[in-house]
Amino acid sequence: MKIAALENNILAIVAGTFAATIAAEDIEPQFHALTHFPDRRARSELADLAERLNQFGAYVVELWNKACEPIPEAEIEAFARRHVDLTRRYWAAEGRCMNWFITGPARFPVARNEKRHEDFGRPPRRSEGARRNGPQVRQAEGLPARHGR
């Protein structure tokens, strides 16, 4: 089963009712601080995404053929939708991390970049102040909710 096709640097994804197109030039800016050739990296990432989606589709078809059951289009669609979303998030998070070899050593923001590398891949978290002053906490402690902040 073919879910994704890459032609002319544009990835077309169709799985059930889910359809998406991703152009290499649209994701290329996310790789500017990572490589000297962001256009090559963008094409490579799109090719890898297409390969992963198509391998999953083939694997599901193989399993369902062995089970003599109808192919679960809804499962394939849900996987494709979620996988594309997670891949886009990954590209965005990776794009915030700079490579000093690319940006140059002079006046390189080392501390900021180290923090971005540490946070890379972690789920977003609320700050301690937000936890202490959140409306649920304030209400549980009998304090009035803050408005306008």
Side-chain angles (χ1 to χ4, degrees):
M1 167 175 259
K2 193 162 188 170
I3 298 173
L6 181 64
E7 290 183 24
N8 299 327
N9 296 327
I10 298 175
L11 178 65
I13 303 165
V14 178
T17 61
F18 174 68
T21 57
I22 306 170
E25 63 185 25
D26 293 341
I27 64 170
E28 183 179 320
Q30 295 173 338
F31 304 114
H32 279 271
L34 297 173
T35 178
H36 287 295
F37 306 103
D39 55 334
R40 290 183 195 170
R41 175 73 185 269
R43 287 193 305 266
S44 172
E45 290 288 336
L46 288 179
D48 291 344
L49 177 58
E51 183 180 345
R52 288 191 306 268
L53 289 171
N54 289 331
Q55 284 179 348
F56 175 77
Y59 182 68
V60 169
V61 168
E62 178 184 329
L63 288 178
W64 257 255
N65 285 340
K66 287 180 183 177
C68 297
E69 296 284 329
I71 297 172
E73 294 289 332
E75 294 293 327
I76 295 172
E77 177 184 343
F79 174 82
R81 185 182 306 270
R82 180 73 173 147
H83 191 69
V84 169
D85 180 52
L86 289 174
T87 303
R88 285 180 180 263
R89 287 184 191 184
Y90 171 78
W91 291 336
E94 189 180 28
R96 289 189 297 270
C97 300
M98 295 178 280
N99 183 339
W100 71 269
F101 185 71
I102 304 304
T103 59
R107 304 196 40 84
F108 184 74
V110 175
R112 181 176 64 191
N113 196 45
E114 285 177 354
K115 184 177 183 213
R116 288 178 178 172
H117 278 283
E118 289 172 6
D119 290 342
F120 179 69
R122 287 188 195 163
R125 60 181 186 270
R126 297 176 66 187
S127 67
E128 187 62 35
R131 276 188 233 119
R132 272 188 277 117
N133 295 321
Q136 297 88 359
V137 174
R138 294 184 64 77
Q139 186 178 14
E141 293 175 355
L143 299 171
R146 289 184 172 174
H147 295 287
R149 288 191 188 198

